Amino acid sequence: MTYAQAVKEAEAFLADHGIADASVDAWLLFSFVTGVSRAMFLAERMQKMPEEQHQRYRELLEKRASHIPLQHLTGEQEFMGFSFLVNQHVLVPRQDTETLVETVLSYVKPGMRVLDLCTGSGCIAISMAKLCDGLQVDAADISKEALAVAMENAARLEANVTFWQGDLFACHYLRGDTEKLPIAAYDCIVSNPPYIRTDVIKTLSEEVRLHEPYQALDGKADGLYFYRRIITEAHSYLTPGGHIFFEIGYDQGEAVKNLLLEDGYTEVEVRKDLAGLDRVVTGEYPGKNP
C-alpha cells in the first residue's frame, strides 16, 4: 500500500466511526508514525508504506476510532508555540486557553510573582515562565498525577516553575518542607478551573467525557464552585492592586464578573477569544475585603 492509499483508507475508516475531524486526524497519525512532512508526502505519496509502519498506523487508527483522544495517542499537544506532554491525567490544552495566557502576558512584568491554580499539564504556568523573562511562577494542582506531568513538561522545556500540591490555596511545596503558599505575595493569580456543570458533563464528547480527568471538568452544580472559592480565598494571597485572571465557559462571563464585583474587586472586565466568545474575566484586588 502506498502512502497516499494508506491515508485515504484511514480517512474513510475514521469517518465511518464518527470521528469529526477524520481527515485531519488521519494525517496527523500518519505523520506521527512515519515522520513524513506535508512537503515530503506530496513528493513521495506513491512510495510503498513499510509493513511495520502500516501495522502501527492501523493500531493507532483503531484506538482513535474508539474515541481515545488524538493527543493521548501521540502523547503531546502544541500550546503557545511549545509542545506539551499530555496523558489521561490532564486536560488536553486548548487553543481557547491561549487567550488567557496572552491576556496575562499583557499585564505581567519581570520580577512579578504569579500563581497558576489548577495547573494540570502546566501549560499556562510554563508558557508564562518561558514568554516573560524574570517572571516568578508558582503552579498548584490537587492531583499528584497531573503535577507529575506538569513537572516533566517544565523540565523538558527548561521552564523555571515552582510546583505545589493541594486543594487550591491549601498547598505544600513538592520539593521541600514549606507547607503553605506565601501570604500577600502574588501580583497575579491565574486559573482555568473546572467549570463544566455536573449535569452537562454527560453530554460532552466521548473524547472528553470518557478520557479526560473528571476532576478537572466538574465545576459542581452551577459550574461556578471554584470561581467562588478562588475569588474569596485569594484575598490572603494577592498583593494590594494585584490582579486575578480566569478562563471561563462561553456563557459564564456575566456570572463570574458579578462574583468579582460582589467581592469588592475593581476594574472587572470580560474579554473575548478569537471566535468572539467570552473567554477571560479579570479584576483588580483593592487590598481589603469589601
Side-chain angles (χ1 to χ4, degrees):
M1 180 173 288
T2 65
Y3 282 164
Q5 290 171 329
V7 172
K8 185 176 181 179
E9 180 185 82
E11 291 175 354
F13 176 75
L14 293 180
D16 287 345
H17 285 80
I19 302 302
D21 297 317
S23 61
V24 173
D25 289 6
W27 165 256
L28 290 174
L29 287 174
F30 171 82
S31 183
F32 175 71
V33 168
T34 63
V36 172
S37 67
R38 285 284 189 186
M40 289 172 61
F41 179 76
L42 292 174
E44 301 175 8
R45 60 196 309 274
M46 301 312 294
Q47 178 175 313
K48 291 280 183 73
M49 189 172 188
E51 182 57 34
E52 183 177 325
Q53 286 186 354
H54 189 234
Q55 181 61 33
R56 176 64 176 147
Y57 191 33
R58 289 294 305 175
E59 290 171 358
L60 291 175
L61 290 167
E62 291 281 355
K63 291 179 179 180
R64 184 68 190 98
S66 68
H67 293 271
I68 295 175
L70 173 75
Q71 295 86 350
H72 288 183
L73 300 178
T74 63
E76 60 185 14
Q77 171 65 22
E78 183 174 314
F79 181 83
M80 294 299 295
F82 305 107
S83 179
F84 286 87
L85 300 177
V86 294
N87 61 24
Q88 71 273 21
H89 299 301
V90 299
L91 291 182
V92 175
R94 268 74 168 177
Q95 186 177 16
D96 294 338
T97 305
E98 293 188 351
T99 302
L100 175 63
V101 176
E102 290 163 354
T103 302
V104 176
L105 288 173
S106 70
Y107 164 74
V108 295
K109 297 178 177 62
M112 285 186 171
R113 189 167 188 176
V114 177
L115 173 63
D116 173 30
L117 290 174
C118 309
T119 196
S121 67
C123 64
I124 294 172
I126 292 167
S127 296
M128 291 190 298
K130 295 290 289 183
L131 295 171
C132 183
D133 290 338
L135 196 65
Q136 300 177 61
V137 182
D138 289 3
D141 203 286
I142 196 170
S143 167
K144 292 181 179 178
E145 293 81 7
L147 284 169
V149 176
M151 292 172 74
E152 186 172 357
N153 278 321
R156 289 176 69 250
L157 293 169
E158 299 181 333
N160 186 16
V161 178
T162 300
F163 290 99
W164 303 73
Q165 192 267 322
D167 182 8
L168 296 183
F169 297 97
C171 293
H172 65 273
Y173 181 39
L174 284 178
R175 290 180 173 168
D177 298 326
T178 305
E179 293 297 328
K180 295 181 180 179
L181 290 168
I183 299 298
Y186 294 102
D187 302 286
C188 176
I189 292 175
V190 185
S191 187
N192 178 17
Y195 60 69
I196 308 298
R197 297 198 313 272
T198 302
D199 63 349
V200 171
I201 293 176
K202 64 179 179 291
T203 70
L204 300 176
S205 69
E206 289 184 43
E207 284 84 348
V208 175
R209 176 169 45 87
L210 300 180
H211 297 285
E212 297 205 71
Y214 184 89
Q215 188 177 43
L217 298 170
D218 185 19
K220 311 300 182 183
D222 64 357
L224 302 175
Y225 172 81
F226 290 98
Y227 297 114
R228 291 192 187 92
R229 283 192 56 192
I230 294 170
I231 287 168
T232 300
E233 295 175 29
H235 295 172
S236 297
Y237 300 93
L238 279 168
T239 58
H243 281 66
I244 198 163
F245 295 85
F246 289 119
E247 177 170 331
I248 57 166
Y250 72 94
D251 58 350
Q252 294 175 317
E254 282 302 306
V256 177
K257 176 182 176 181
N258 288 334
L259 289 175
L260 284 164
L261 290 170
E262 290 165 6
D263 208 68
Y265 289 77
T266 59
E267 306 299 323
V268 178
E269 61 177 310
V270 181
R271 298 194 183 186
K272 298 184 182 297
D273 59 22
L274 292 176
L277 301 174
D278 289 349
R279 186 59 58 191
V280 173
V281 179
T282 179
E284 180 177 325
Y285 175 57
K288 59 182 184 298
N289 293 344

